[in-house]
Amino acid sequence: MTQLASHYLETFPNPALGRDYTIRIDIPEFTCLCPKTGQPDFAVIKLEYVPDQVCVELKSLKLYIWGFRDQGAFHEAVTNQILADLVAVTMPKFMRIRAEFNVRGGIYTTVIVEHQQPDWQPPVYIQLA
Amino acid sequence: MTQLASHYLETFPNPALGRDYTIRIDIPEFTCLCPKTGQPDFAVIKLEYVPDQVCVELKSLKLYIWGFRDQGAFHEAVTNQILADLVAVTMPKFMRIRAEFNVRGGIYTTVIVEHQQPDWQPPVYIQLA
Amino acid sequence: MTQLASHYLETFPNPALGRDYTIRIDIPEFTCLCPKTGQPDFAVIKLEYVPDQVCVELKSLKLYIWGFRDQGAFHEAVTNQILADLVAVTMPKFMRIRAEFNVRGGIYTTVIVEHQQPDWQPPVYIQLA
Amino acid sequence: MTQLASHYLETFPNPALGRDYTIRIDIPEFTCLCPKTGQPDFAVIKLEYVPDQVCVELKSLKLYIWGFRDQGAFHEAVTNQILADLVAVTMPKFMRIRAEFNVRGGIYTTVIVEHQQPDWQPPVYIQLA
Amino acid sequence: MTQLASHYLETFPNPALGRDYTIRIDIPEFTCLCPKTGQPDFAVIKLEYVPDQVCVELKSLKLYIWGFRDQGAFHEAVTNQILADLVAVTMPKFMRIRAEFNVRGGIYTTVIVEHQQPDWQPPVYIQLA
Amino acid sequence: MTQLASHYLETFPNPALGRDYTIRIDIPEFTCLCPKTGQPDFAVIKLEYVPDQVCVELKSLKLYIWGFRDQGAFHEAVTNQILADLVAVTMPKFMRIRAEFNVRGGIYTTVIVEHQQPDWQPPVYIQLA
Amino acid sequence: MTQLASHYLETFPNPALGRDYTIRIDIPEFTCLCPKTGQPDFAVIKLEYVPDQVCVELKSLKLYIWGFRDQGAFHEAVTNQILADLVAVTMPKFMRIRAEFNVRGGIYTTVIVEHQQPDWQPPVYIQLA
Amino acid sequence: MTQLASHYLETFPNPALGRDYTIRIDIPEFTCLCPKTGQPDFAVIKLEYVPDQVCVELKSLKLYIWGFRDQGAFHEAVTNQILADLVAVTMPKFMRIRAEFNVRGGIYTTVIVEHQQPDWQPPVYIQLA
Amino acid sequence: MTQLASHYLETFPNPALGRDYTIRIDIPEFTCLCPKTGQPDFAVIKLEYVPDQVCVELKSLKLYIWGFRDQGAFHEAVTNQILADLVAVTMPKFMRIRAEFNVRGGIYTTVIVEHQQPDWQPPVYIQLA
Amino acid sequence: MTQLASHYLETFPNPALGRDYTIRIDIPEFTCLCPKTGQPDFAVIKLEYVPDQVCVELKSLKLYIWGFRDQGAFHEAVTNQILADLVAVTMPKFMRIRAEFNVRGGIYTTVIVEHQQPDWQPPVYIQLA
Ligand SMILES: [Ca+2]
Ligand SMILES: [Ca+2]
Ligand SMILES: [Ca+2]
Ligand SMILES: [Ca+2]
Ligand SMILES: [Ca+2]
Ligand SMILES: [Ca+2]
Ligand SMILES: [Ca+2]
Ligand SMILES: [Ca+2]
Ligand SMILES: [Ca+2]
Ligand SMILES: [Ca+2]
Ligand SMILES: [Ca+2]
Ligand SMILES: [Ca+2]
Ligand SMILES: [Ca+2]
Ligand SMILES: [Ca+2]
Ligand SMILES: [Ca+2]
Ligand SMILES: [Ca+2]
């Protein structure tokens, strides 16, 4: 777990332990620094997860995300790091992170990473009429 | 069941007992208070269910929803509580609640929870030409 | 069958008895009265069915729908009643009714009900290139 | 077969006998008369078929469709009649007709009918990357 | 093969022989003459194929398409002819042609034809997260 | 591998070796020269891949793409060449390249190519409620 | 003034007497009866006005509008009558009513009527940057 | 000035005294109570103004708006009151408030009010090419 | 002029001195800190100007904008400061800055400021057919 | 006039000398090099003009635009240069060039320049009903 995660991320007990349900969190204000040039990068981070024992506390998540403001971070690495930190802290049944980075040098990059408990069964979506 | 539910929620007999059908209710005017800061939160609540013996009465549902206006409530907990209250009162064959909260601190949160009777079989949707 | 149905609804012989086909009828001008307050309610009614021996005659359907103008009716009950009336009169192979009610007290309600002959096989849709 | 069909509809040999392929024809200018009131009705007719030995000739189809201008015709009956006429003349492997009638008395009606040769196998659509 | 095809169409060796891949070519400027009236017809031609040993050369395809400008051609026949010519010249693993003709006499016509090598297996599309 | 690839393309170790995840890169500023006429061609290149041991470094990718500016290149060949170069350098589990070329002579061309490790299993997408 | 107006419409003192401002009220649920056929008509009523001494009370306006449910009324007459009633009761500086009636017999009708105090000066709209 | 205004609203010196410029503030989360029924009302408040000596401080504006949560308020009165309070506190060169209330009883209401210093000249908008 | 401006902003001679023309620059990646709470703010900055003797150099503008990343700044003040800095450095004939800030506490704020040389005549836009 | 212009640009006599009319030309494939870094820039060039004695020949314009491919050019200078070249060659009554450059460093730049004969009267656009 990174220092940012241990410093900021907090959890609270899942209020509905016996139930698989979805929490979706969109964070359009992610910014960090390019580790090569020191120039700012920007991204939209989209998180969705099925909690197990704990949920991530939203204000602590906001502070954790703000903590990247002064950090150098490659696109692929930082997306995996955010997943690793959130998995380490919340140990969810399933988690997906999608990071859509702003254009740099005429190139648009998106990174999508997932974590899943080995024995978790994904739900079948029920489509009512 | 919460006091809000026992105080407000009322039901009436399902007028079509022998049939699985869908009731969809959208409530764009949900508001409660942040339990940490006391500041107001807002959400759109979307409910869909297949009734069993009873349906929820719409005016009582409106009053129940208005009852959260002065209550402190975390996003994940209040969504699960609304589901638990409505399940306790209506014991439906299936119910899904989707709560889309307004942005706070640059973060957009949505919580989706479901309940299902153990032996209920979801319908297969018939798509006519 | 309700009085409205026996008074108004008429049928004519299905002009294509040996074939499963779809009739879709949208009625955006449904209005009835709230049985609690006497205030008018409005809805869009969407009907789709596969006829068996008879079809519902469109002008009689219009008069039947207009007949609700002075009737008190709960959302769930009236949607099921329209289905029951139309099924009693036409005994279709399949029928679905979707009633989208106008907002009341900040709440939007939609009710969807279906009927199906026990031994009817839904068609497989053929998607040409 | 109706008089209109025998009078107008013409075919030409399928130029690709050994191949299942799709011909789609949209006719937005169909008009006939209401057999009860004599008032004009309007519809969009959408035809799609897989020809067998012959194709319907387009100008003859146009004249056939224009032939309904002074005919009284119920929505369900005329849609099935057009299918029956076209099937009688072209004996296709598959044919679907979709008739979307203009609003009358606040009611929108659509009728969809299909014909299929008993031993014809519908194609599996190939979706390239 | 038609004279147009033998006169114009040229190929070049598939630069990736061992791989099934997709080439999609849209030609919005097809025009020919109605063989009955001599009046110009217009269509959008959409071609997609999986090449085998050769690919069709684009400039030669353009000249081949321009070659129809003074030719009389029925909708169904010309679509099948273009497929036959391109199959004769390129012998692809799979080819589909979709010709969307402009409205004539109030009628819109689209013809879709396909060719496939008998033993070719269509790909399964991989949808990444 | 082409000279352009060996000159420019660089990789870095995959920061999440044990995990299948998606990297999507859109490059709207690809330009090369028509090998027949010397005239400029333009395309949008869309790349998506699942990395194995290494990822492609974004700035090196930008320079590699810029390297085509003075090169003659056929549409089908250059798309396959970019895939071959990127596969040679990164040996990914899966890679797809989609090149959408600008209109030339009234013709729009798109080429889509894929590479896959023989024993790689594509992921099943988990759709949460 | 009509009986409907004197029975239902109520006013309250304009809370901002010294200021010209705009009140806009949209009423999508207007329905009355065709005086010739007794069949229901439907319309969207859009009201905008600059109050003088009094404003129209909203609940009383709702009841007044509902009062047309059982009244026969021609499109042009009823729009002018609503204006006349509201002007008689509120004597506004300016009032405009726009009634958009649902299609009947393939015809869509909209009626727009205005009232203005003889010496009232309409405001000049200020468009900030 | 109301108690809410004197309790909450704060200003800060206009940082650009010699210049007419525009400040636009949208507040989608306004809620108050209906003074007749005690039921909650909701509105979107849109404020635009040209400051004179002071600007309204945004956090104090947020608290002032939240202060209406437990107050009874008619649509027309509360919109004028918000304008009066903000004018009393900031004495702007120009201010416009637009309050779009949520539907109640099938009726949508919007109130637009403005204030202007008697000798203030509205800017002429410069449209560059 | 601020330190940021004197440190970063550079100009180059206007390449078309005798002509009034428009330069429009959109900067979607502005971020600074809230001077009260230290929390990050985000905005889209839109700049348009008619240069006089010099133009602002784009890379220096980018660095100047990035310089706000660690600065505390109120919305109204920072928008006026950016205008003042750019006016001090470029002394344009006309300049407008529009800053659209991200939502904070449920409030969306936009600030628009302009500068104009006293004797400059704005162009009349010529609209060709 | 630049070498590019004298080398490539050609004209032909205006075929409608006595008439003011509009010629609009969009060029989405402009590319040049950044004079500071040597990296490619891309822009969409939009040209509209009212010709006087001559019109610009389209193929020569294409070659002229392609001529910038290997030239270093600042955004503001190159837009003015294209205008100057085209004015020198065609001496139009009116000409406007709009150059929309691709994003660089998170900044989007557009430059709009115009030329007008001193005594030319812009047309009044006639809007038919
Ligand atoms: Ca972005
Ligand atoms: Ca909260
Ligand atoms: Ca309260
Ligand atoms: Ca919301
Ligand atoms: Ca009545
Ligand atoms: Ca509705
Ligand atoms: Ca129609
Ligand atoms: Ca010719
Ligand atoms: Ca067309
Ligand atoms: Ca393109
Ligand atoms: Ca209508
Ligand atoms: Ca609203
Ligand atoms: Ca924003
Ligand atoms: Ca540059
Ligand atoms: Ca070059
Ligand atoms: Ca662009």
Side-chain angles (χ1 to χ4, degrees):
Chain A
M1 205 189 326
T2 63
Q3 272 196 317
L4 267 181
S6 57
H7 190 52
Y8 286 116
L9 285 176
E10 293 174 17
T11 65
F12 61 91
N14 179 353
L17 276 174
R19 175 184 291 146
D20 274 14
Y21 65 99
T22 303
I23 301 171
R24 235 179 232 115
I25 299 171
D26 286 359
I27 307 166
E29 296 177 347
F30 179 84
T31 182
C32 59
L33 300 176
C34 175
K36 283 202 164 167
T37 63
Q39 301 186 346
D41 276 328
F42 292 83
V44 176
I45 305 287
K46 295 179 178 173
L47 161 70
E48 58 182 349
Y49 73 107
V50 178
D52 191 346
Q53 298 299 310
V54 296
C55 299
V56 64
E57 201 275 330
L58 285 177
K59 190 170 178 187
S60 82
L61 177 63
K62 181 182 72 175
L63 295 172
Y64 167 74
I65 289 292
W66 286 353
F68 288 90
R69 192 175 178 86
D70 294 321
Q71 299 223 344
F74 290 105
H75 293 4
E76 293 86 352
V78 74
T79 312
N80 277 289
Q81 175 189 333
I82 293 173
L83 180 70
D85 281 350
L86 284 167
V87 164
V89 166
T90 65
M91 290 183 290
K93 295 180 176 174
F94 175 82
M95 182 173 281
R96 178 186 290 131
I97 291 182
R98 177 182 176 91
E100 306 172 354
F101 289 88
N102 273 14
V103 58
R104 283 295 174 269
I107 291 183
Y108 298 77
T109 306
T110 297
V111 183
I112 304 109
V113 294
E114 296 177 0
H115 165 88
Q116 190 174 342
Q117 288 183 4
D119 53 351
W120 180 69
Q121 290 298 320
V124 177
Y125 185 77
I126 293 173
Q127 176 66 59
L128 297 182
Chain B
M1 206 190 323
T2 63
Q3 273 196 315
L4 266 181
S6 57
H7 191 53
Y8 287 116
L9 286 177
E10 293 174 18
T11 66
F12 60 91
N14 178 354
L17 276 174
R19 175 184 290 145
D20 275 13
Y21 66 99
T22 303
I23 301 171
R24 238 182 229 114
I25 300 171
D26 286 359
I27 307 166
E29 296 178 348
F30 179 85
T31 181
C32 59
L33 300 176
C34 175
K36 283 200 164 167
T37 64
Q39 300 186 346
D41 276 329
F42 292 82
V44 175
I45 306 286
K46 295 179 178 173
L47 161 69
E48 57 181 349
Y49 74 106
V50 178
D52 190 346
Q53 297 300 311
V54 297
C55 299
V56 63
E57 201 275 329
L58 286 176
K59 189 170 178 189
S60 82
L61 177 63
K62 181 182 71 175
L63 295 172
Y64 166 74
I65 289 292
W66 285 353
F68 287 91
R69 193 175 177 86
D70 293 320
Q71 299 222 344
F74 289 105
H75 293 6
E76 294 86 352
V78 74
T79 312
N80 277 290
Q81 174 189 334
I82 293 173
L83 180 70
D85 281 350
L86 284 167
V87 164
V89 167
T90 65
M91 291 183 289
K93 295 179 177 175
F94 176 81
M95 182 173 280
R96 178 186 290 131
I97 291 182
R98 176 183 176 89
E100 306 172 354
F101 289 87
N102 273 14
V103 59
R104 284 295 174 267
I107 291 182
Y108 297 77
T109 306
T110 296
V111 182
I112 304 109
V113 296
E114 296 179 359
H115 165 88
Q116 188 173 343
Q117 287 183 4
D119 53 351
W120 180 69
Q121 290 297 322
V124 177
Y125 186 77
I126 294 173
Q127 176 66 58
L128 298 182
Chain C
M1 205 191 320
T2 62
Q3 274 195 315
L4 267 181
S6 57
H7 190 54
Y8 286 116
L9 285 177
E10 294 174 17
T11 65
F12 61 91
N14 179 353
L17 275 175
R19 175 184 290 145
D20 275 13
Y21 65 99
T22 302
I23 301 171
R24 235 179 231 116
I25 300 171
D26 286 359
I27 308 166
E29 295 178 348
F30 178 85
T31 181
C32 60
L33 300 176
C34 173
K36 282 200 163 166
T37 64
Q39 300 186 347
D41 277 329
F42 292 81
V44 176
I45 305 287
K46 296 179 178 174
L47 162 69
E48 59 181 349
Y49 73 107
V50 178
D52 191 346
Q53 297 299 311
V54 296
C55 300
V56 65
E57 199 275 331
L58 285 177
K59 188 169 178 188
S60 82
L61 177 63
K62 180 181 72 175
L63 296 172
Y64 167 74
I65 289 293
W66 286 353
F68 287 91
R69 193 175 176 85
D70 293 322
Q71 297 222 347
F74 290 105
H75 292 5
E76 293 86 352
V78 75
T79 312
N80 277 289
Q81 175 189 334
I82 293 172
L83 180 69
D85 281 350
L86 286 167
V87 164
V89 167
T90 64
M91 291 183 289
K93 295 180 176 173
F94 175 82
M95 181 173 280
R96 178 186 289 131
I97 292 183
R98 175 182 177 89
E100 306 172 354
F101 289 87
N102 272 15
V103 60
R104 283 295 175 266
I107 291 183
Y108 297 78
T109 305
T110 296
V111 183
I112 304 108
V113 295
E114 296 178 1
H115 165 88
Q116 189 173 342
Q117 286 184 4
D119 54 350
W120 180 69
Q121 290 297 321
V124 177
Y125 186 77
I126 294 173
Q127 177 66 59
L128 298 182
Chain D
M1 203 191 321
T2 63
Q3 274 196 316
L4 267 181
S6 57
H7 190 55
Y8 287 116
L9 285 176
E10 293 174 16
T11 65
F12 61 90
N14 178 352
L17 275 175
R19 175 184 290 145
D20 275 12
Y21 65 99
T22 302
I23 301 172
R24 236 180 229 116
I25 300 171
D26 286 358
I27 309 166
E29 296 177 348
F30 178 84
T31 181
C32 59
L33 300 176
C34 173
K36 285 198 162 169
T37 65
Q39 301 184 346
D41 277 330
F42 292 83
V44 175
I45 306 286
K46 296 179 178 174
L47 162 69
E48 58 181 351
Y49 72 109
V50 178
D52 192 347
Q53 297 299 311
V54 295
C55 300
V56 65
E57 199 274 331
L58 284 177
K59 189 170 180 188
S60 81
L61 176 63
K62 181 181 70 175
L63 296 172
Y64 166 75
I65 288 293
W66 286 353
F68 287 91
R69 189 174 181 83
D70 294 320
Q71 298 223 345
F74 290 104
H75 293 4
E76 294 86 352
V78 74
T79 313
N80 277 288
Q81 177 189 331
I82 294 172
L83 180 69
D85 282 350
L86 286 167
V87 164
V89 168
T90 64
M91 291 184 290
K93 295 182 177 173
F94 175 83
M95 181 173 282
R96 177 186 288 131
I97 292 183
R98 175 183 178 91
E100 306 171 353
F101 289 88
N102 271 16
V103 60
R104 281 298 171 265
I107 291 183
Y108 298 78
T109 304
T110 297
V111 183
I112 305 107
V113 295
E114 296 178 1
H115 165 87
Q116 189 173 341
Q117 286 184 4
D119 54 349
W120 180 69
Q121 290 298 321
V124 177
Y125 186 76
I126 293 173
Q127 177 66 60
L128 297 183
Chain E
M1 204 191 322
T2 62
Q3 274 196 317
L4 267 180
S6 57
H7 191 54
Y8 287 117
L9 285 177
E10 294 173 16
T11 65
F12 61 91
N14 179 351
L17 275 175
R19 175 184 290 147
D20 275 13
Y21 66 99
T22 302
I23 300 171
R24 240 183 225 111
I25 300 171
D26 287 358
I27 308 165
E29 297 177 348
F30 178 85
T31 182
C32 60
L33 300 176
C34 173
K36 285 200 162 168
T37 65
Q39 300 185 346
D41 277 330
F42 291 83
V44 176
I45 305 286
K46 296 179 178 174
L47 161 69
E48 57 182 351
Y49 72 107
V50 178
D52 191 349
Q53 296 299 311
V54 295
C55 300
V56 64
E57 199 274 329
L58 285 177
K59 189 170 179 188
S60 83
L61 177 63
K62 182 181 70 174
L63 296 172
Y64 167 74
I65 288 293
W66 286 353
F68 287 90
R69 190 176 181 84
D70 291 320
Q71 298 224 343
F74 290 104
H75 292 4
E76 294 85 351
V78 74
T79 313
N80 277 289
Q81 175 188 331
I82 294 172
L83 180 70
D85 282 349
L86 286 167
V87 164
V89 167
T90 64
M91 291 183 291
K93 295 182 176 172
F94 175 83
M95 180 173 283
R96 178 186 289 132
I97 291 183
R98 175 182 178 90
E100 306 171 352
F101 289 88
N102 272 14
V103 60
R104 280 298 171 268
I107 291 183
Y108 297 78
T109 305
T110 297
V111 183
I112 306 107
V113 295
E114 297 178 1
H115 165 87
Q116 189 172 340
Q117 287 183 3
D119 54 349
W120 180 68
Q121 290 298 319
V124 177
Y125 186 76
I126 292 173
Q127 177 66 58
L128 298 183
Chain F
M1 203 189 327
T2 62
Q3 273 196 317
L4 266 182
S6 57
H7 190 52
Y8 286 117
L9 285 177
E10 294 173 16
T11 65
F12 62 91
N14 179 352
L17 275 175
R19 174 184 292 147
D20 274 14
Y21 65 98
T22 302
I23 300 171
R24 241 183 225 111
I25 299 170
D26 286 0
I27 307 166
E29 296 178 347
F30 178 85
T31 183
C32 59
L33 300 175
C34 174
K36 285 199 164 169
T37 64
Q39 300 185 346
D41 277 329
F42 291 82
V44 176
I45 305 286
K46 296 179 179 174
L47 161 69
E48 57 183 349
Y49 73 107
V50 178
D52 191 348
Q53 297 299 310
V54 296
C55 301
V56 65
E57 201 274 329
L58 285 176
K59 189 170 179 188
S60 82
L61 177 62
K62 182 181 71 174
L63 296 172
Y64 167 74
I65 289 292
W66 286 352
F68 287 90
R69 191 176 179 86
D70 293 319
Q71 300 223 345
F74 290 104
H75 293 5
E76 294 86 353
V78 74
T79 313
N80 277 290
Q81 175 188 334
I82 293 173
L83 180 70
D85 282 350
L86 284 167
V87 163
V89 166
T90 65
M91 290 183 290
K93 296 181 176 172
F94 176 82
M95 181 173 282
R96 178 186 290 133
I97 291 182
R98 176 181 178 92
E100 306 172 353
F101 289 87
N102 273 13
V103 60
R104 280 298 173 268
I107 291 183
Y108 297 79
T109 305
T110 297
V111 183
I112 305 108
V113 295
E114 297 177 1
H115 165 87
Q116 189 173 341
Q117 288 183 3
D119 53 350
W120 180 69
Q121 290 298 319
V124 177
Y125 186 76
I126 293 174
Q127 176 67 59
L128 297 183
Chain G
M1 204 192 320
T2 62
Q3 273 195 315
L4 266 182
S6 57
H7 189 54
Y8 286 116
L9 285 176
E10 293 174 19
T11 65
F12 61 90
N14 178 352
L17 276 175
R19 175 183 290 145
D20 275 12
Y21 67 98
T22 302
I23 301 171
R24 235 178 233 120
I25 299 171
D26 287 359
I27 308 167
E29 295 178 347
F30 179 85
T31 181
C32 59
L33 300 176
C34 174
K36 285 198 163 168
T37 63
Q39 300 186 344
D41 276 329
F42 292 82
V44 175
I45 306 286
K46 296 179 177 174
L47 161 69
E48 57 182 351
Y49 72 107
V50 178
D52 191 348
Q53 297 300 310
V54 297
C55 299
V56 64
E57 199 275 330
L58 286 177
K59 189 171 178 187
S60 82
L61 177 63
K62 181 182 71 176
L63 295 172
Y64 166 75
I65 289 292
W66 287 352
F68 287 91
R69 191 175 177 85
D70 294 320
Q71 299 222 345
F74 290 105
H75 292 6
E76 296 83 353
V78 74
T79 313
N80 278 287
Q81 176 189 331
I82 293 172
L83 181 69
D85 281 350
L86 285 167
V87 163
V89 166
T90 64
M91 292 183 289
K93 296 180 175 172
F94 175 82
M95 180 172 283
R96 178 186 291 131
I97 291 182
R98 176 183 178 89
E100 306 171 354
F101 289 87
N102 273 15
V103 60
R104 282 297 173 268
I107 292 183
Y108 298 77
T109 306
T110 296
V111 183
I112 304 109
V113 295
E114 295 180 1
H115 164 87
Q116 190 172 342
Q117 288 183 3
D119 54 350
W120 180 68
Q121 291 297 321
V124 177
Y125 186 77
I126 293 172
Q127 177 64 58
L128 298 183
Chain H
M1 205 193 318
T2 62
Q3 274 196 316
L4 266 181
S6 57
H7 190 55
Y8 286 116
L9 286 177
E10 293 174 18
T11 65
F12 60 91
N14 178 352
L17 275 175
R19 175 184 291 144
D20 276 12
Y21 67 99
T22 302
I23 301 171
R24 239 181 227 113
I25 300 170
D26 287 359
I27 309 166
E29 295 179 348
F30 179 84
T31 182
C32 60
L33 300 176
C34 174
K36 284 199 162 168
T37 63
Q39 301 185 346
D41 276 329
F42 293 82
V44 175
I45 305 286
K46 296 179 178 174
L47 161 70
E48 58 182 350
Y49 74 106
V50 178
D52 191 348
Q53 297 300 310
V54 296
C55 300
V56 64
E57 199 275 331
L58 285 176
K59 189 170 179 188
S60 81
L61 177 63
K62 181 182 71 174
L63 296 172
Y64 167 75
I65 289 292
W66 287 353
F68 287 91
R69 191 176 178 85
D70 294 320
Q71 299 222 345
F74 290 105
H75 293 5
E76 295 86 352
V78 74
T79 312
N80 278 288
Q81 176 188 330
I82 293 172
L83 181 70
D85 281 350
L86 286 167
V87 164
V89 166
T90 64
M91 291 184 291
K93 295 181 176 173
F94 175 82
M95 180 173 283
R96 178 186 290 131
I97 292 182
R98 176 183 177 90
E100 306 171 354
F101 289 88
N102 273 16
V103 58
R104 283 295 174 267
I107 291 183
Y108 298 78
T109 305
T110 297
V111 183
I112 305 108
V113 295
E114 296 179 0
H115 165 87
Q116 189 173 341
Q117 286 184 5
D119 54 349
W120 181 68
Q121 290 299 319
V124 177
Y125 185 76
I126 294 172
Q127 176 65 59
L128 298 183
Chain I
M1 204 191 322
T2 62
Q3 275 196 316
L4 267 180
S6 57
H7 190 54
Y8 287 117
L9 286 176
E10 293 174 18
T11 66
F12 61 91
N14 179 353
L17 274 175
R19 175 184 291 145
D20 276 12
Y21 66 99
T22 303
I23 301 170
R24 237 180 230 114
I25 300 170
D26 286 358
I27 309 165
E29 296 179 347
F30 178 85
T31 182
C32 61
L33 300 176
C34 174
K36 283 201 163 167
T37 64
Q39 301 186 345
D41 276 329
F42 291 82
V44 175
I45 305 286
K46 296 178 178 175
L47 161 70
E48 58 182 350
Y49 74 107
V50 178
D52 191 348
Q53 297 299 311
V54 295
C55 300
V56 64
E57 199 274 330
L58 286 177
K59 189 169 178 189
S60 82
L61 177 62
K62 181 182 73 174
L63 296 172
Y64 166 74
I65 288 292
W66 286 352
F68 287 91
R69 191 173 178 87
D70 294 319
Q71 298 224 344
F74 289 104
H75 292 5
E76 294 86 353
V78 74
T79 313
N80 277 289
Q81 175 189 332
I82 294 173
L83 181 71
D85 281 350
L86 286 167
V87 164
V89 167
T90 65
M91 290 183 291
K93 296 180 176 173
F94 175 81
M95 181 173 282
R96 178 186 290 133
I97 292 182
R98 176 182 177 91
E100 305 171 354
F101 289 88
N102 273 14
V103 58
R104 283 295 173 267
I107 291 183
Y108 298 77
T109 305
T110 297
V111 183
I112 306 107
V113 295
E114 297 178 0
H115 166 87
Q116 189 172 343
Q117 285 183 5
D119 54 350
W120 180 68
Q121 289 299 319
V124 177
Y125 185 76
I126 293 173
Q127 176 66 60
L128 298 182
Chain J
M1 203 189 327
T2 62
Q3 275 195 317
L4 267 181
S6 57
H7 190 53
Y8 287 116
L9 285 176
E10 294 173 17
T11 66
F12 60 92
N14 178 354
L17 275 174
R19 176 184 292 144
D20 275 13
Y21 65 100
T22 302
I23 301 171
R24 242 186 221 108
I25 301 170
D26 286 358
I27 308 165
E29 296 179 346
F30 178 86
T31 181
C32 60
L33 300 176
C34 175
K36 284 199 163 168
T37 63
Q39 302 185 345
D41 276 330
F42 292 81
V44 175
I45 305 286
K46 297 179 178 174
L47 161 70
E48 58 182 350
Y49 73 108
V50 178
D52 192 348
Q53 298 300 310
V54 296
C55 301
V56 65
E57 200 274 329
L58 286 178
K59 189 169 178 189
S60 83
L61 177 62
K62 182 182 71 173
L63 295 172
Y64 167 73
I65 288 292
W66 287 352
F68 288 90
R69 191 174 179 87
D70 292 320
Q71 299 224 344
F74 290 104
H75 293 5
E76 295 85 353
V78 75
T79 313
N80 277 289
Q81 176 189 332
I82 294 172
L83 180 70
D85 281 350
L86 285 167
V87 164
V89 167
T90 65
M91 290 183 289
K93 296 181 175 172
F94 176 82
M95 182 173 281
R96 178 186 290 134
I97 291 182
R98 177 181 176 91
E100 305 171 354
F101 289 87
N102 273 13
V103 58
R104 283 295 174 270
I107 291 183
Y108 297 78
T109 305
T110 297
V111 183
I112 306 108
V113 295
E114 297 177 0
H115 165 86
Q116 188 174 343
Q117 287 183 5
D119 54 352
W120 181 69
Q121 290 298 319
V124 177
Y125 184 76
I126 294 174
Q127 175 68 59
L128 297 182

